[in-house]
Amino acid sequence: KAGVTQTPRYLIKTRGQQVTLSCSPISGHRSVSWYQQTPGQGLQFLFEYFSETQRNKGNFPGRFSGRQFSNSRSEMNVSTLELGDSALYLCASSLSLAGGMGDTQYFGPGTRLTVL
Amino acid sequence: AQKITQTQPGMFVQEKEAVTLDCTYDTSDQSYGLFWYKQPSSGEMIFLIYQGSYDEQNATEGRYSLNFQKARKSANLVISASQLGDSAMYFCAMREADSWGKLQFGAGTQVVVTP
């Protein structure tokens, strides 16, 4: 089975621009979660999508948004980029079976975003 | 407040030795899950092992085992017979009840395996 894929792998943008990152989950996985990883803040949860609905959200400003398509692929968008948005953005997919506390998230290679 | 605490920022371990990575967590939930991930310099997070709060046995996966002490709220990862390829950042993470899709991560421990 193919793993989680993320495109693009690297991005360079300037302040004020917007960016869209894409994530394709493992086949059969219905949940996609997004995380931001920075040296200062570590790994922080952005949001999670399941069946095209945002099911959970972290503490990020409204500039960060996402969506999920019917094939479970997900995109996240960051508008009006700031220097502090420079980070590794990781997406993870899981089966998300009901009641599955052990529902394991499998991560993609990440998109490294640099904002100049 | 920090939910997951990893007190060891970095450590060196000799090849073929065992190493224990500490993780303590804070939750008032009775049902929760604990995960360990490895992140090599390439950046991808690799799932290693899972322990559920109701699991009575400590989880094991190959050379990885989890020393779960529920009363102490600790979930230490033990890597036996370290290999050079084990050099990476290791993260402890927790899922609390009803926190769909949300893992809370510790700050990580950088492990360097030396020959």
Side-chain angles (χ1 to χ4, degrees), chain B residues 89-101:
Chain B
M89 195 77 162
Y90 288 81
F91 290 96
C92 179
M94 176 174 66
R95 169 183 293 122
E96 295 179 289
D98 297 330
S99 63
W100 300 106

Side-chain angles (χ1 to χ4, degrees), chain B residues 4-22:
Chain B
I4 299 286
T5 303
Q6 295 181 253
T7 56
Q8 307 150 308
M11 52 199 311
F12 288 91
V13 59
Q14 274 206 305
E15 209 176 356
K16 298 178 186 173
E17 298 283 310
V19 60
T20 298
L21 308 182
D22 295 340

Side-chain angles (χ1 to χ4, degrees), chain A residues 2-5 23-27 29 31-32 68 71-74 93:
Chain A
V4 178
T5 57
C23 173
S24 293
I26 292 170
S27 177
H29 284 194
S31 167
V32 173
Q68 187 180 34
N71 62 357
S72 294
R73 189 177 70 85
S74 177
S93 75

Side-chain angles (χ1 to χ4, degrees), chain A:
Chain A
K1 245 185 198 180
V4 178
T5 57
Q6 290 186 247
T7 56
R9 293 292 311 279
Y10 302 91
L11 264 179
I12 300 176
K13 293 284 187 179
T14 56
R15 276 180 300 173
Q17 286 187 309
Q18 75 162 17
V19 66
T20 299
L21 312 182
S22 181
C23 173
S24 293
I26 292 170
S27 177
H29 284 194
R30 300 167 66 192
S31 167
V32 173
S33 297
W34 289 88
Y35 296 86
Q36 181 196 65
Q37 185 176 25
T38 59
Q41 299 297 317
L43 278 149
Q44 294 187 285
F45 172 76
L46 281 155
F47 31 63
E48 185 246 3
Y49 285 87
F50 177 81
S51 289
E52 303 178 64
T53 301
Q54 187 181 85
R55 193 163 60 171
N56 202 351
K57 189 178 186 308
N59 296 324
F60 278 83
R63 300 186 297 107
F64 292 83
S65 62
R67 60 178 176 168
Q68 187 180 34
F69 302 95
S70 58
N71 62 357
S72 294
R73 189 177 70 85
S74 177
E75 288 181 347
M76 70 162 279
N77 183 277
V78 188
S79 62
T80 319
L81 283 165
E82 300 177 359
L83 295 178
D85 297 334
S86 294
L88 180 67
Y89 290 88
L90 292 161
C91 89
S93 75
S94 68
L95 282 169
S96 192
L97 299 172
M101 189 58 69
D103 186 45
T104 300
Q105 293 187 5
Y106 296 92
F107 284 77
T111 294
R112 190 165 293 282
L113 172 65
T114 302
V115 182
L116 302 176

